[in-house]
Amino acid sequence: MARGAWAAVFLLLGSVVDPCSSQTYALNDKAGLGRVFDGIGGLSGGGATSRLLVNYAEPYRSQILDYLFKPNFGASLHILKVEIGGDSQTTDGTEPSHMHYESDENYFRGYEWWLMKEAKRRNPNVTLIGLPWAFPGWVGHGKNWPYDFPDITAAYVVNWILGAKQYHDLDIQYVGIWNERNFDSKYIKVLRNTLDKLGLTGVGIIAADGDWSIANSMIADPHLNDSVEVIGAHYPGTTTVKEAVKTQKKLWSSEDYSTFNDEVGGGCWARILNQNYVNGNMTATISWNLVASYYEDLPFGRDGLMTAEEPWSGNYVVESPIWITAHTTQFTQPGWTYLQTVGHLAQGGSYVALTDGTGNLTVVIETMTHDHSVCIRPPLPPFNVTSQNATFQLQGSFASIKELQVWRSQFNFKTKKPSFFEKLTPLKLVDGSFTLNLAEDEVYTLTTITTGQKGSYPDPPPSARFPKVYKDNFDIRNPPFSEAPDFADQTGVFEYYINLTDPGPHVFTLRQVLTERPVTWAADADQTISVIGDYQWHDLTVTCDVFMESVKTGGVFIAARVDKGGQSIRSANGVFFWVFADGTYKVTNDLAGQTVLAEGQSGTRAYGWHTLSLTVKGQYALGQLNGYPLWKNAVVLTPKNGWAAIGTRSFELAQFDNFAVVAG
């Protein structure tokens, strides 16, 4: 090796390596290129994973969005995939549909429209994808299955795509097929036909957002094959199947990661971003989820690229996956092409190389060890990684490159002092060659692109618990979002409502709007429920005005110490204070209403406002109705803590106002 190259290596690494022990890897485009790169992305939804993000005050909300989407700043994501809300629990909450009922259309519910516009504002080239995890009940015509009437389901999905353009000027480029467990070939073909008839020929279908099994059907069915643009798999473990490759379609990991975002989570993300292509020919990888903006004690807490779960404090955390993402996204773009010369390093790890076709080259190297890169799923087979010297020889059109920018992340698990996305001295190449001394658990980017930047803002406010004293009267004439701040719907949909029939103090309320069970993917409860607050709350008083709209059959509740949410909401326990339109009340230890702590007459009726108050202290609970004691000394042994909540007996219309919590 020439003296200049030695000097470059010394400058880069601080120590001289033995070139005799180095393995050489060619980076060459002489024999052609590999597959076209489609990007790295994040997923908002599946479900309600960005729920708390919208409630952040400025400037913190914009800062979070910049870390996610702003080019050459943070993650600089190429793709945003969002849930097409289906009124149903889809992991960590429900997201409202644009069509609660067949005759209902509203393209301003929820927050995904806002999020897509914010992403587009920062990066006009961001790819937008929609996927329904669930559907309003009317789509299933009484069944928990959306495909018996494929024309209706296709029209429902296409309406969302049309609404995105008409009301928000958003061009949806891809739509996914529900669900992870099954796919319906007839529906996919009907959806393709519906899109084409309405001039949406440019909207591609990703199928089947589960495993690779659709590939066999596509090979056997040319019409199905023509209908699908991308085969998308969830959590593929970096591997594909030969049948998927045989289709010659784009192959994506259309949902991946789903791992706690500590340093091991960052290691998982680093490994799969490279190896999804090296092992599986996947040209896009999308993280579930985009940002962990939901209560951490819900399922899969902190499984986002970064954490923003405290809008009340303004605190957020830029986690390691943000900077691991930047190693690829800041130095490539969709439309770049992988080289054929990618692969595994001799002593473990992997490398990929991409080009824009005009002389630019980006190389990403990762040496993540097994135990420091375990993802939540699937199980990771054993493998070994050890420190090594690696020489890269640039050939073909890259042979004349003289200098590469260098960015490095070191996880440093032993010292627990990681260094992420650090810009090093540019590397001078001699005869197109450079050598690196690669330690374990590192990520390198070497690139001709000079625009990379590790963006930063002043530290956000410190972390703080949810306020112990909290109240909301929902008196907002033109709310920016349909949901009230910090409420996390777990079954049902609770929306701001203007009660024009009430000239009194209850004009502006929060209303549960669903009257039938949705077509569910997860296990919605039979009751509707929205939780709020601090999961560690134990002694507290919850007060709320309630208004039932179902004569005789109506029922509403307020609750404390609710211990489960998300996919586990059916089995939630707590202290639930119910009143019913037949003039009775009940206190139960569970949402299902099976464990009764107290019951009796209340005199409550539909179409009248009632004030409920629930106090839980230690092992005892008491309740008041309209300011007077109704029951007391109910013994509550478990749970010891949990959220506050409001809800209804079934999928029924009901209103809530003047919600308040005082926690001890």
Side-chain angles (χ1 to χ4, degrees):
M1 186 180 292
R3 183 179 300 275
W6 275 107
V9 173
F10 183 83
L11 183 63
L12 176 64
L13 302 170
S15 61
V16 176
V17 298
D18 179 6
C20 298
S21 64
S22 183
Q23 182 78 28
T24 299
Y25 308 89
L27 301 176
N28 195 347
D29 60 353
K30 281 183 179 179
L33 297 171
R35 291 185 173 232
V36 175
F37 175 64
D38 294 307
I40 307 299
L43 203 170
S44 173
T49 55
S50 303
R51 176 64 195 90
L52 298 176
L53 174 61
V54 299
N55 302 136
Y56 271 79
E58 295 296 347
Y60 310 114
R61 190 173 69 179
S62 289
Q63 292 173 4
I64 295 163
L65 293 164
D66 284 350
Y67 279 114
L68 293 168
F69 297 112
K70 186 177 179 180
N72 301 314
F73 188 84
S76 306
L77 292 169
H78 304 135
I79 299 169
L80 173 59
K81 180 177 179 179
V82 304
E83 176 173 355
I84 300 175
D87 291 340
S88 173
Q89 171 62 245
T90 52
T91 299
D92 287 301
T94 67
E95 298 201 25
S97 170
H98 57 290
M99 298 178 71
H100 292 321
Y101 315 106
E102 194 165 5
S103 60
D104 164 57
E105 289 187 61
N106 184 323
Y107 298 94
F108 295 92
R109 295 188 184 117
Y111 39 84
E112 304 295 5
W113 313 107
W114 165 82
L115 183 60
M116 288 189 284
K117 288 188 286 189
E118 290 294 323
K120 207 78 175 174
R121 188 162 68 86
R122 287 161 174 80
N123 177 7
N125 297 318
V126 70
T127 298
L128 299 178
I129 304 171
L131 171 67
W133 268 256
F135 297 85
W138 64 267
V139 174
H141 283 259
K143 289 186 178 180
N144 194 41
W145 182 247
Y147 298 137
D148 284 349
F149 301 90
D151 290 331
I152 291 174
T153 305
Y156 167 83
V157 171
V158 172
N159 279 346
W160 184 87
I161 297 171
L162 293 171
K165 182 62 176 177
Q166 180 177 349
Y167 295 99
H168 302 285
D169 196 26
L170 294 168
D171 293 301
I172 306 300
Q173 283 123 304
Y174 294 94
V175 61
I177 302 298
W178 180 86
N179 64 39
E180 289 183 339
R181 301 185 179 103
N182 291 289
F183 65 90
D184 188 286
S185 297
K186 181 180 179 181
Y187 167 69
I188 294 171
K189 290 181 277 190
V190 169
L191 177 59
R192 179 70 272 161
N193 188 50
T194 305
L195 289 165
D196 292 346
K197 280 185 176 179
L198 292 170
L200 298 171
T201 55
V203 178
I205 293 177
I206 305 169
D209 265 312
D211 59 22
W212 299 110
S213 60
I214 193 173
N216 290 309
S217 300
M218 291 170 62
I219 292 170
D221 183 345
H223 188 186
L224 177 64
N225 188 71
D226 291 344
S227 298
V228 175
E229 184 171 336
V230 177
I231 301 181
H234 288 194
Y235 309 98
T238 77
T239 62
T240 186
V241 296
K242 64 180 185 297
E243 292 82 6
V245 177
K246 185 178 178 181
T247 66
Q248 298 185 328
K249 297 289 184 177
K250 295 174 180 287
L251 308 179
W252 289 7
S253 180
S254 53
E255 182 179 321
D256 216 328
Y257 183 61
S258 187
T259 300
F260 191 78
N261 59 18
D262 59 6
E263 271 66 21
V264 173
C268 152
W269 189 232
R271 178 175 54 79
I272 64 178
L273 284 183
N274 264 23
Q275 296 194 27
N276 274 349
Y277 186 75
V278 171
N279 301 337
N281 294 301
M282 287 168 268
T283 54
T285 298
I286 300 173
S287 166
W288 188 90
N289 50 69
L290 171 74
V291 53
S293 278
Y294 47 100
Y295 289 114
E296 190 169 332
D297 291 286
L298 288 168
F300 306 104
R302 273 186 57 186
D303 280 15
L305 296 177
M306 63 180 292
T307 304
E309 59 189 19
E310 291 187 12
W312 48 87
S313 73
N315 180 260
Y316 63 85
V317 183
V318 183
E319 312 281 4
S320 62
I322 290 288
W323 303 119
I324 296 305
T325 309
H327 273 280
T328 299
T329 53
Q330 289 204 21
F331 311 107
T332 61
Q333 289 298 325
W336 282 44
T337 308
Y338 284 100
L339 273 60
Q340 291 185 17
T341 49
V342 302
H344 291 275
L345 299 169
Q347 301 302 316
S350 65
Y351 65 98
V352 295
L354 303 95
T355 181
D356 66 350
T358 63
N360 283 308
L361 175 71
T362 291
V363 183
V364 184
I365 303 163
E366 60 81 21
T367 59
M368 297 310 304
T369 57
H370 179 280
D371 291 354
H372 294 154
S373 66
V374 176
C375 303
I376 195 171
R377 66 178 76 89
L380 183 61
F383 63 86
N384 292 314
V385 176
T386 58
S387 58
Q388 58 196 296
N389 301 330
T391 298
F392 291 86
Q393 182 67 53
L394 276 55
Q395 298 174 351
S397 67
F398 311 116
S400 60
I401 292 175
K402 302 298 183 186
E403 181 179 272
L404 292 171
Q405 307 299 309
V406 183
W407 294 80
R408 181 182 66 187
S409 290
Q410 295 177 308
F411 282 82
N412 293 330
F413 284 96
K414 291 182 179 178
T415 64
K416 297 183 179 179
K417 294 181 179 179
S419 171
F420 293 116
F421 204 55
E422 178 186 5
K423 191 177 192 305
L424 303 182
T425 303
L427 183 59
K428 305 294 184 182
L429 276 61
V430 174
D431 298 327
S433 176
F434 64 91
T435 298
L436 300 177
N437 179 5
L438 301 172
E440 298 172 3
D441 299 323
E442 292 186 331
V443 180
Y444 276 92
T445 299
L446 300 104
T447 180
T448 55
I449 300 297
T450 59
T451 53
Q453 179 185 355
K454 186 172 184 178
S456 65
Y457 285 111
D459 289 343
S463 174
R465 309 296 305 192
F466 194 96
K468 289 186 175 183
V469 178
Y470 183 90
K471 60 184 178 180
D472 193 339
N473 60 14
F474 312 120
D475 288 355
I476 301 180
R477 187 171 297 274
N478 295 299
F481 300 99
S482 56
E483 300 98 332
D486 305 327
F487 278 91
D489 301 349
Q490 299 302 305
T491 296
V493 173
F494 295 74
E495 297 179 348
Y496 281 115
Y497 180 67
I498 301 177
N499 185 5
L500 298 178
T501 63
D502 189 335
H506 300 289
V507 175
F508 299 99
T509 67
L510 196 66
R511 192 189 201 200
Q512 200 295 118
V513 298
L514 302 188
T515 57
E516 64 177 321
R517 186 177 181 82
V519 176
T520 63
W521 171 79
D524 287 73
D526 296 323
Q527 307 75 20
T528 74
I529 178 172
S530 187
V531 303
I532 188 171
D534 189 333
Y535 188 78
Q536 298 305 316
W537 279 345
H538 45 90
D539 294 348
L540 68 157
T541 295
V542 183
T543 304
C544 192
D545 297 339
V546 299
F547 184 91
M548 293 173 278
E549 299 184 49
S550 296
V551 177
K552 295 185 179 180
T553 61
V556 295
F557 69 82
I558 62 174
R561 295 187 185 176
V562 178
D563 70 344
K564 294 187 184 71
Q567 295 169 306
S568 303
I569 190 61
R570 287 185 69 85
S571 60
N573 295 314
V575 184
F576 297 84
F577 175 18
W578 311 74
V579 294
F580 303 106
D582 65 0
T584 64
Y585 78 91
K586 186 164 63 171
V587 184
T588 68
N589 210 176
D590 57 337
L591 176 61
Q594 300 302 305
T595 305
V596 178
L597 304 178
E599 58 186 333
Q601 297 297 311
S602 63
T604 50
R605 295 288 185 265
Y607 293 98
W609 282 97
H610 306 282
T611 301
L612 304 185
S613 180
L614 167 65
T615 298
V616 184
K617 187 172 184 179
Q619 296 184 0
Y620 297 96
L622 62 88
Q624 292 186 336
L625 173 64
N626 299 326
Y628 295 95
L630 183 63
W631 55 273
K632 63 181 179 179
N633 296 329
V635 178
V636 182
L637 299 179
T638 60
K640 302 295 185 184
N641 55 274
W643 297 291
I646 57 175
T648 64
R649 176 189 212 169
S650 63
F651 289 93
E652 61 184 275
L653 299 176
Q655 296 177 55
F656 302 83
D657 201 4
N658 298 317
F659 176 86
V661 174
V662 178

